[in-house]
Amino acid sequence: MANNSNKIGVVGTGVIGNGWIARFLAKGYNVVAFDPAEGAEGNTRRLMERIWPTLEDMGVAQEASMDKLKFVNTIKETVEDAAYVQENVPERENLKKEVLQEIDEHLKPEGIIGSSTSGITATTLQEGLRNPERLIVAHPFNPVYILPLVEVVGGEKTKKTVIEQAKALFTEVDMKPLVIHQEIEGHVADRLMEALWREALHIVNDGVATTDEVDRAITYGAGLRWALMGPFMTFHMAGGDAGMRHMLDQFGPALKLPWTKLVAPELTEDLKERVIEGCESSGQGKTVAELEEKRNEFLVKQLELVSDYWPLFNKTE
């Protein structure tokens, strides 16, 4: 699919939008981008320069080039003749609908529209579109140019063929599309992360542990296991030879104990400052760009390990 005439449109070039740009460029696509924010193009091009060595380490297409990125001044120019358009504007429903309607107006009939929304359903975003059947949620994870997961969710009016075409496109750019067949706010991965995030805030707020201690609890414990197997397979192994069957019999009753708090704590100024100061202290004076470089180096190595050691990782569904 990727060739010199193929065009991907990207609307919104913040952290996620730029991640999509990098992934598509690395796989040899032509990318046309639009963002009305001042300095957007410069920010994107500087990022591409900075992360291109990482992309090359991961493996870029023979025809891949940063020169295949073009910024334009309107949404119409961005989406005309595009095979696929990824929308990444801020998470405000009215704004997203307005932008998606303009994309829909100018995109060719066979083009597909994906939204990076982390919480709004595809059915909601389809409201007001002339061609709602070609809209999907395509929710990736930061950094998009390294992490392969993309949650693909259709709305009530999305055609099944659109889902299949999107899966094929994402697979071609070395992503792992996870098709979610039932819409729910927050999709799947964000809901899981949000539950852990709420509990982490409670632990800090109640003085049980600091932000650094919470991070270490995950980094040196559950996080290492989850990187390879996820929560269900991790608990399956906790059951010994009988696996999940024994684990549920043995530890299932403990699920009724009030260990966790499902409702988030009030985000007071005191809690905010404790979280902010804790993160800045853990960063040891390094800039976010410096931390990103270390993170990216680690993720590339980790991704190689996961691919080598866990065959289920290669499944797309």
Side-chain angles (χ1 to χ4, degrees):
M1 190 172 183
N3 54 58
N4 290 333
S5 64
N6 187 261
K7 173 181 173 180
I8 299 293
V10 175
V11 178
T13 60
V15 172
I16 297 301
N18 280 335
W20 279 111
I21 289 172
R23 182 170 283 275
F24 280 118
L25 287 177
K27 301 308 174 184
Y29 284 79
N30 295 295
V31 179
V32 180
F34 168 74
D35 193 313
E38 184 176 353
E41 180 175 0
N43 290 337
T44 297
R45 294 196 183 279
R46 283 189 291 273
L47 175 66
M48 296 306 128
E49 291 281 354
R50 190 167 77 241
I51 67 174
W52 200 257
T54 297
L55 297 172
E56 290 180 323
D57 287 344
M58 295 176 64
V60 299
Q62 185 174 356
E63 64 274 23
S65 171
M66 286 183 284
D67 294 335
K68 289 189 172 185
L69 171 61
K70 178 183 179 182
F71 267 76
V72 293
N73 297 318
T74 65
I75 289 179
K76 180 180 179 181
E77 293 173 274
T78 308
V79 308
E80 281 182 329
D81 299 322
Y84 179 81
V85 177
Q86 186 74 29
E87 169 272 310
N88 316 280
V89 302
E91 198 78 350
R92 300 199 299 271
E93 183 179 319
N94 289 341
L95 175 61
K96 281 191 176 289
K97 285 182 175 180
E98 179 182 333
V99 169
L100 289 168
Q101 286 168 17
E102 188 170 355
I103 292 172
D104 186 39
E105 178 183 354
H106 298 294
L107 183 62
K108 61 186 179 181
E110 65 271 27
I112 296 173
I113 306 171
S115 173
S116 291
T117 179
S118 58
I120 306 172
T121 65
T123 294
T124 297
L125 295 177
Q126 287 175 333
E127 296 170 0
L129 296 185
R130 296 179 181 178
N131 305 282
E133 70 281 352
R134 42 116 164 249
L135 174 77
I136 60 168
V137 165
H139 177 236
F141 292 82
N142 182 43
V144 184
Y145 51 89
I146 296 179
L147 297 184
L149 180 63
V150 54
E151 294 176 311
V152 181
V153 196
E156 291 178 359
K157 298 180 180 179
T158 305
K159 288 183 177 179
K160 291 184 179 179
T161 54
V162 168
I163 296 286
E164 292 303 314
Q165 289 173 324
K167 277 181 58 182
L169 171 63
F170 297 139
T171 301
E172 187 170 299
V173 296
D174 290 340
M175 299 187 86
K176 300 296 180 182
L178 174 63
V179 177
I180 299 171
H181 299 284
Q182 181 174 322
E183 290 186 285
I184 187 171
E185 289 84 356
H187 321 312
V188 172
D190 271 3
R191 292 180 73 94
L192 295 170
M193 290 189 294
E194 190 73 14
L196 179 60
W197 173 232
R198 285 194 296 268
E199 189 62 24
L201 287 174
H202 274 294
I203 287 172
V204 172
N205 191 53
D206 295 345
V208 177
T210 65
T211 58
D212 179 66
E213 290 165 343
V214 170
D215 283 347
R216 282 189 282 136
I218 296 298
T219 299
Y220 298 119
L224 289 173
R225 299 183 304 197
W226 289 343
L228 183 64
M229 293 185 173
F232 280 104
M233 287 303 296
T234 295
F235 281 126
H236 177 60
M237 296 190 69
D241 291 341
M244 183 62 82
R245 185 177 302 279
H246 176 69
M247 202 286 296
L248 290 176
D249 288 341
Q250 184 77 8
F251 301 105
L255 294 173
K256 293 292 185 180
L257 297 176
W259 283 1
T260 57
K261 303 177 181 180
L262 295 179
V263 179
E266 182 181 353
L267 201 57
T268 63
E269 290 302 316
D270 177 65
L271 177 55
K272 282 198 250 183
E273 285 306 312
R274 287 160 69 184
V275 171
I276 292 168
E277 289 173 8
C279 291
E280 290 177 346
S281 175
S282 294
Q284 299 179 345
K286 290 183 173 61
T287 66
V288 171
E290 290 171 330
L291 294 172
E292 283 179 347
E293 186 175 348
K294 291 295 183 183
R295 177 203 65 189
N296 290 353
E297 181 182 353
F298 173 81
L299 287 177
V300 170
K301 293 178 180 178
Q302 186 184 44
L303 196 54
E304 292 173 354
L305 283 172
V306 173
S307 299
D308 289 343
Y309 281 88
W310 192 234
L312 287 179
F313 182 79
N314 295 316
K315 290 187 177 182
T316 57
E317 283 195 351

